[in-house]
Amino acid sequence: MVNLDKAVSENISGQFFVDDTCINCGACRHYSPEVFSATETHSYVKKQPFTEAEFFSAKEALLSCPVAAIGSRVKQDLKNVLESFPKLMSDNIYLNGFNDRKTFGAHSYFIKNEQGNWLIDAPRFSAHLIKKFEEMGGIDYIFLSHKDDVGDADKYAKHFHAKRIIHEKDANAAQEAEIIVQGDSLEIDLAKIYWTRGHTLGHMVMLWDNKYLFTGDHFCWSSRYQKFYAFRTFCWDSWAEQIKTVDLLKQFTKVEFVFPGHGKWHEVEKEKFPEIIQETVKWMISVK
């Protein structure tokens, strides 16, 4: 529970604050970059919200904080913000919110599809999300990009009788998964799943309808650097292998949107994705 007495010193005075239980996952800064910033160890309120849009995004951050480190000195009406989750991002793709401490605050997504709905990685188990997912037709598949972002996937799988998908190299994190990917790829309906070793040995990405790339912790947009990049500091398997498997993404010429677990989601200019990958790989080699 957030505690005003533990508010970090960098907070600017006003309604919203961050306390010292913050794990610096970055989620609040993705939802509300106007309001939140960060030191090397934690987020803080750099500017109090003023406009309606700023208040709304600050409340999104508050609801999505995986450790409940964001609070307000004034009681906030959260009903409209709560009802906005899952948040429509593009076509039938939704951002779930309710980031989970067990995934270090990773983002998760929902895809509504006539042939079967998908959950991409797992938010924390939430009665609100259960209700919303039920209203949209339930969950048929749960794509687990890698072992770090499994979170409460087992609870969602049990509730919806969904099939969990994970690579055999990371399957120790979801030993009861219904679909274990062996080898380099798997296709189900509009989903093309690829093994992208690097961040972890069994990391995978998923390309949906050739346009939407769900990248787990493999590749993302950096708000700090204002470019696509990969996490050098948080590479648990092999940076050399991650360079190779990021390079493989250049084959996806029609990507329009990147949806990561960690890092921020971001649109891609039409037909520019191969060029983006080439520049990212060049940078990755430079910090090898």
Side-chain angles (χ1 to χ4, degrees):
M1 180 70 70
V2 66
N3 188 338
L4 180 58
D5 292 335
K6 295 183 177 181
V8 298
S9 61
E10 293 86 357
N11 290 313
I12 193 166
S13 179
Q15 293 184 27
F16 286 85
F17 65 93
V18 177
D19 76 13
D20 64 8
T21 62
C22 173
I23 59 174
N24 208 23
C25 69
C28 65
R29 305 190 299 273
H30 301 153
Y31 284 102
S32 188
E34 305 87 0
V35 173
F36 297 94
S37 188
T39 68
E40 291 298 317
T41 59
H42 56 265
S43 294
Y44 64 92
V45 175
K46 69 174 180 180
K47 172 186 176 294
Q48 291 294 332
F50 178 74
T51 67
E52 184 177 341
E54 288 173 347
F55 269 103
F56 193 89
S57 68
K59 293 175 186 179
E60 286 182 314
L62 186 155
L63 283 174
S64 296
C65 177
V67 294
I70 300 172
S72 173
R73 293 175 173 86
V74 177
K75 186 175 181 180
Q76 300 290 333
D77 182 358
L78 300 176
K79 183 177 179 180
N80 288 343
V81 179
L82 179 64
E83 286 301 313
S84 73
F85 285 116
K87 179 185 176 83
L88 182 64
M89 302 297 285
S90 182
D91 292 340
N92 288 318
I93 295 172
Y94 297 80
L95 176 67
N96 293 322
F98 294 87
N99 300 40
D100 193 350
R101 181 172 196 151
K102 292 189 288 294
T103 66
F104 200 76
H107 300 301
S108 67
Y109 306 89
F110 178 87
I111 303 174
K112 183 172 173 54
N113 179 51
E114 289 183 359
Q115 283 70 47
N117 295 337
W118 289 68
L119 184 65
I120 312 299
D121 289 323
R124 64 181 180 265
F125 197 63
S126 156
H128 171 78
L129 288 181
I130 290 291
K131 178 176 178 288
K132 290 291 188 176
F133 293 155
E134 287 175 345
E135 290 173 355
M136 290 191 282
I139 299 170
D140 296 276
Y141 297 97
I142 301 176
F143 170 70
L144 299 172
S145 61
H146 65 298
K147 62 184 180 182
D148 297 344
D149 292 353
V150 169
D152 284 335
D154 59 335
K155 296 179 182 179
Y156 284 103
K158 182 177 180 180
H159 184 89
F160 290 103
H161 306 289
K163 295 178 181 179
R164 290 160 290 179
I165 303 169
I166 196 166
H167 197 275
E168 62 176 337
K169 302 296 185 181
D170 271 7
N172 62 323
Q175 295 182 8
E176 297 180 358
E178 291 74 17
I179 300 175
I180 305 296
V181 179
Q182 299 175 330
D184 296 337
S185 63
L186 174 70
E187 290 192 27
I188 301 175
D189 191 26
L190 295 178
K192 297 177 181 178
I193 296 167
Y194 297 89
W195 181 28
T196 50
R197 176 184 175 184
H199 175 72
T200 64
L201 181 55
H203 195 288
M204 299 188 295
V205 301
M206 190 180 97
L207 181 65
W208 180 263
D209 197 21
N210 292 319
K211 297 188 294 185
Y212 305 108
L213 187 61
F214 297 89
T215 57
D217 293 351
H218 186 61
F219 174 81
C220 68
W221 175 261
S222 168
S223 299
R224 179 179 181 181
Y225 299 114
Q226 289 294 294
K227 68 177 183 179
F228 285 101
Y229 89 140
F231 295 107
R232 178 65 185 96
T233 305
F234 305 106
C235 177
W236 313 133
D237 174 48
S238 167
W239 187 243
E241 290 297 327
Q242 191 164 348
I243 291 172
K244 292 178 185 177
T245 53
V246 168
D247 188 52
L248 289 175
L249 303 183
K250 67 188 178 188
Q251 67 182 293
F252 307 148
T253 59
K254 297 180 180 180
V255 169
E256 297 179 2
F257 223 126
V258 172
F259 295 107
H262 286 104
K264 185 160 185 179
W265 53 88
H266 203 272
E267 289 188 80
V268 175
E269 188 177 345
K270 189 175 182 180
E271 298 181 354
K272 289 290 187 180
F273 195 62
E275 181 181 324
I276 288 168
I277 292 299
Q278 288 176 352
E279 298 211 358
T280 302
V281 168
K282 183 178 178 181
W283 171 81
M284 292 176 74
I285 292 171
S286 76
V287 296
K288 194 172 181 178

